[in-house]
Amino acid sequence: MRRIVLAVGAGVGGLGGFMAFLVVGVYGAASDLPGGGGGGGGGQLARDTVPEEYEQLVAEWGNYCETLSPAILAAQLSQESGWQPDVRSHAEAQGIAQFIPSTWATHGIDANGDGVANVWDPQDAIPSAARYDCSLAGYVDDVPGDPVNNMLAAYNAGPYAVIRYNGVPPYEETQNYVRIIRSAEASFAAPPEDEPLPALEAAAGAVHFAQEQLGTPYQWGGDGTAEDDGRFDCSGLTKAAYEEVGIELPRIANDQWNAGPHPSRDELLPGDLVFFAYDLDDPRSIHHVGLYIGGGYMINAPYTGATIRFDPIDSPDYFGATRPAAA
């Protein structure tokens, strides 16, 4: 969780969300916090939404208490680090759950029994995050409002801020933190077997496809075909990612701009396309596109000589975003 500097309270800094699904509610009112009656309390993970090496941990520890669930824990870890276990933030938050050292010293556990409580080891950090969530849920149990929202807000801003404000505090960062995790929560949860996945969850499939291409060399004009040796350029990658989940996009980046609604920078969710232009007033000058994964990062096929990789989206030529899954 990103740190909010308070006189009291816990803080953990985070980078990016990763492989999160989308839900309808966030589109209409991005500034409103979802929730209102719980969420948590059991359930199973949707298939292929969590990296395989962490799936069992999240499924098991996500049921540590009634307020938590595997889907909430998955969405939270996705937002914190993008499932990257070696991330260190500017606030010195560490590991896949982005604990700051002082919080880890109190709440970190040796969950895998190797004799060391290691913040850099997801086998310790994921269980520690679940236990810490549940401890926070207990601290703010008497606070009015949605208990899951309050728990997440306490993870981000500290429990005393939640107590002080009788709910999610009026900090933009904390409100966005809660909103993004709650928006992604439903799509990490396995739906009933007789219900099809909502169409918006295609965004997670697109991100998963792009993740599988990490490390692939860039090729100008590449569509990932056998003729291209499986290589892509920027818009070839985004087109193929959405084609994988049944959504057809135009081939060229500036044409993809019109493939859906345009969320603002603070409304971005994993699966959105992010665009870069020579003229910030002219979408026809768009020259590049990436696939947003959360926390200010995208999966990017950058240029000849580079490989598909994670890159920050914030740069002077950032133009805006499109949400193909909502088209």
Side-chain angles (χ1 to χ4, degrees):
M1 69 198 185
R2 296 183 184 275
R3 183 164 189 172
I4 299 292
V5 179
L6 301 172
V8 290
V12 180
L15 283 180
F18 196 59
M19 292 172 54
F21 281 128
L22 310 179
V23 292
V24 175
V26 70
Y27 299 146
S31 61
D32 295 334
L33 291 174
Q44 297 181 345
L45 289 170
R47 186 175 59 186
D48 295 331
T49 58
V50 171
E52 184 178 359
E53 61 268 36
Y54 308 132
E55 188 171 359
Q56 183 175 349
L57 277 171
V58 173
E60 176 183 351
W61 287 89
N63 287 302
Y64 190 75
C65 66
E66 184 177 352
T67 310
L68 193 60
S69 73
I72 292 169
L73 182 59
Q76 183 180 29
L77 293 167
S78 172
Q79 173 63 14
E80 287 292 345
S81 67
W83 303 104
Q84 300 174 81
D86 56 354
V87 169
R88 184 193 300 268
S89 80
H90 67 278
E92 294 302 312
Q94 301 171 344
I96 198 168
Q98 289 290 277
F99 279 97
I100 61 171
S102 59
T103 305
W104 180 260
T106 302
H107 296 281
I109 62 171
D110 174 23
N112 63 4
D114 65 359
V116 179
N118 184 358
V119 71
W120 302 107
D121 185 349
Q123 301 291 324
D124 290 341
I126 291 175
S128 296
R131 282 175 49 116
Y132 185 42
D133 273 332
C134 291
S135 294
L136 293 169
Y139 295 156
V140 299
D141 185 55
D142 293 331
V143 175
D146 185 287
V148 177
N149 289 349
N150 290 341
M151 175 186 73
L152 294 171
Y155 196 96
N156 180 261
Y160 299 106
V162 177
I163 294 169
R164 175 186 177 188
Y165 288 103
N166 275 325
V168 178
Y171 310 141
E172 182 178 1
E173 180 177 323
T174 302
Q175 293 196 355
N176 284 338
Y177 180 85
V178 174
R179 174 182 57 80
I180 290 170
I181 292 172
R182 295 309 302 272
S183 296
E185 170 198 344
S187 54
F188 278 102
E193 291 184 2
D194 58 346
E195 292 185 13
L197 290 175
L200 291 179
E201 294 184 2
V207 171
H208 180 68
F209 176 90
Q211 179 204 11
E212 294 298 308
Q213 315 312 314
L214 289 169
T216 301
Y218 174 96
Q219 178 174 313
W220 174 262
D223 291 307
T225 63
E227 292 80 5
D228 297 324
D229 293 327
R231 302 181 181 191
F232 299 90
D233 65 7
C234 65
S235 56
L237 175 63
T238 52
K239 184 179 190 303
Y242 270 100
E243 191 173 67
E244 182 75 7
V245 295
I247 295 176
E248 288 293 326
L249 297 180
R251 177 59 180 84
I252 305 302
N254 57 22
D255 290 332
Q256 291 180 3
W257 169 253
N258 295 312
H262 303 302
S264 65
R265 172 65 180 84
D266 63 358
E267 295 172 337
L268 290 178
L269 290 172
D272 291 346
L273 302 182
V274 286
F275 295 88
F276 305 85
Y278 297 116
D279 181 348
L280 299 186
D281 294 319
D282 181 9
R284 300 309 301 174
S285 74
I286 288 171
H287 62 83
H288 194 68
V289 61
L291 191 67
Y292 189 65
I293 61 168
Y297 280 78
M298 63 180 168
I299 297 177
N300 186 27
Y303 47 76
T304 300
T307 61
I308 296 174
R309 66 195 189 191
F310 297 113
D311 276 326
I313 70 167
D314 291 317
S315 65
D317 60 344
Y318 176 77
F319 185 82
T322 295
R323 186 164 290 158

